Structure formats: C-alpha cells, structure tokens
Amino acid sequence: MEEELRTSGYDTARLNDGRKMVLITGHRRENFGEGFISICRAIKTLSERFPNVDFIYPMHLNPNVRRPIHEVFGENLSDLGNLFFIEPLEYLSFVYLMEKSTLVLTDSGGIQEEAPGLGKPVLVMRDTTERPEALEAGTVKLVGTDYDKIVGGVSALFTDTAAYDRMSKSVNPYGDGKACERIVKYVQYSM
C-alpha cells in the first residue's frame, strides 16, 4: 500500500516526524461549479495556514471535479508544498491513507461511516446528509461548501484539542469495529 501511495504522489513517511494529514475527497454533483471553487479556495487557505499539515486529495476522474482544482491551483499540480493532488486510489490504499489521516474532509456518504470507525473526525462538505445518526453521535459535522465553514471547521479541529477529542472519541453509530471478532466467537461456540 505504501508503494502505491508513493507512486501515486504521496509518501506516508512524511508523517513520521509528527506531521498531520487531512484526507480530502469530493465528487458530488450538487457541488459542481461554485461549490468546488469554494472548496478549493478553502483548501488553499488551510494549506497556507497550516504548513505542517499535508492536504491529500485523490482527485475524482470527473472533469467537473478536476476543472475547479486546476482553476484555483493551476495546471501543474506537482510541487505544491504541503498540497498533494493525486490520482484515485484502490480501496485498501485509500483506507490505509484514511487511517493515517488526522481528519477527513469529504462530500462522500460512505466515508461518513468508515472514517469514524477509525476515530477520524469528518467534516462533510454538504448541506445535508442521509446519515443523521452520525450527526447526532458527533462523529461528523456539516460544513457544506461554504469557504468560512470549511476553514473554520478544520482550523477548530487543529487548534482546539477538546473539540478534536469530542469528535474522534464519539461512539461510532455504525459499530465499534469488533464485528468479526464477535462472529468468530459465536461460530466457535456454536459448533
């Protein structure tokens, strides 16, 4: 997995000396256009505000996602300091990267379930979610595509330890990650 990440444009060894990392995903149709422009501007501001944090964005292949990235960051996306725009990853490599992250910034539905299982706070770049139980549990927070809410939400999680702990240690409404262990015990005792 580390080799796939290195060849895709991000070396997780950068995190060995205490650097933090934000994993970013975006692909939702409702964010096309100005929504993605606002997201990209917020990411740019955050990368400048937090130079010791790496911002990793595996870019969706849809041109409506890539166009705003190039509009804000230019055509050459290599050598942007602590910003890494990489190609999409295979699932296991993506999960590995999610596990290494400090927090996740996404408009994806599935990641709202997966990242909290790894203890990662999730800021959702949507105005609504079909996962209200995650909001109620405190594992995710809606920030929409609003520049100020994205910058403020990420900044708060990096500067307010109590806020970070509340989200990262909230009880995941989708399970505690011990289902396989329980199934094995059940099957062993059933035989």
Side-chain angles (χ1 to χ4, degrees):
M1 283 178 264
E2 288 185 22
E3 181 59 31
E4 180 191 352
L5 288 169
R6 256 192 306 280
T7 59
S8 70
Y10 185 70
D11 185 358
T12 56
R14 288 177 57 90
L15 304 174
N16 291 344
D17 294 327
R19 285 187 76 81
K20 295 180 178 180
M21 188 251 290
V22 174
L23 180 60
I24 305 162
T25 68
H27 68 277
R28 306 262 322 173
R29 180 173 279 114
E30 62 263 28
N31 290 342
F32 289 175
E34 281 306 308
F36 273 115
I37 294 291
S38 180
I39 289 168
C40 289
R41 287 182 179 144
I43 293 167
K44 186 172 187 177
T45 296
L46 288 163
S47 72
E48 293 164 356
R49 184 176 290 179
F50 298 101
N52 293 322
V53 175
D54 286 346
F55 293 82
I56 316 306
Y57 193 153
M59 298 178 295
H60 195 279
L61 295 174
N62 189 317
N64 290 312
V65 173
R66 289 181 177 230
R67 190 175 306 113
I69 291 170
H70 288 292
E71 190 174 316
V72 172
F73 296 97
E75 286 305 311
N76 184 358
L77 297 177
S78 61
D79 199 25
L80 293 175
N82 61 337
L83 282 164
F84 298 85
F85 294 98
I86 63 176
E87 294 303 316
L89 299 168
E90 291 184 13
Y91 181 71
L92 289 179
S93 293
F94 181 81
V95 172
Y96 178 76
L97 201 56
M98 188 167 29
E99 191 276 325
K100 294 284 189 189
S101 71
T102 304
L103 65 98
V104 177
L105 187 59
T106 188
D107 65 6
S108 170
I111 293 172
Q112 293 177 55
E113 296 178 10
E114 295 170 352
L118 298 170
K120 308 304 174 181
V122 180
L123 297 178
V124 181
M125 297 181 295
R126 293 164 56 183
D127 295 323
T128 61
T129 180
E130 62 279 359
R131 291 164 176 85
E133 59 277 5
L135 283 173
E136 292 169 19
T139 59
V140 307
K141 180 179 178 183
L142 296 175
V143 292
T145 59
D146 182 275
Y147 170 90
D148 292 324
K149 288 182 181 178
I150 294 169
V151 171
V154 172
S155 296
L157 290 172
F158 278 129
T159 60
D160 184 345
T161 305
Y164 184 88
D165 286 346
R166 267 191 309 278
M167 285 188 79
S168 68
K169 295 177 181 174
S170 291
V171 176
N172 183 2
Y174 306 109
D176 60 7
K178 297 180 181 178
C180 288
E181 181 181 315
R182 290 183 185 112
I183 291 168
V184 168
K185 285 181 183 178
Y186 178 79
V187 170
Q188 286 175 338
Y189 293 121
S190 301
M191 298 180 142

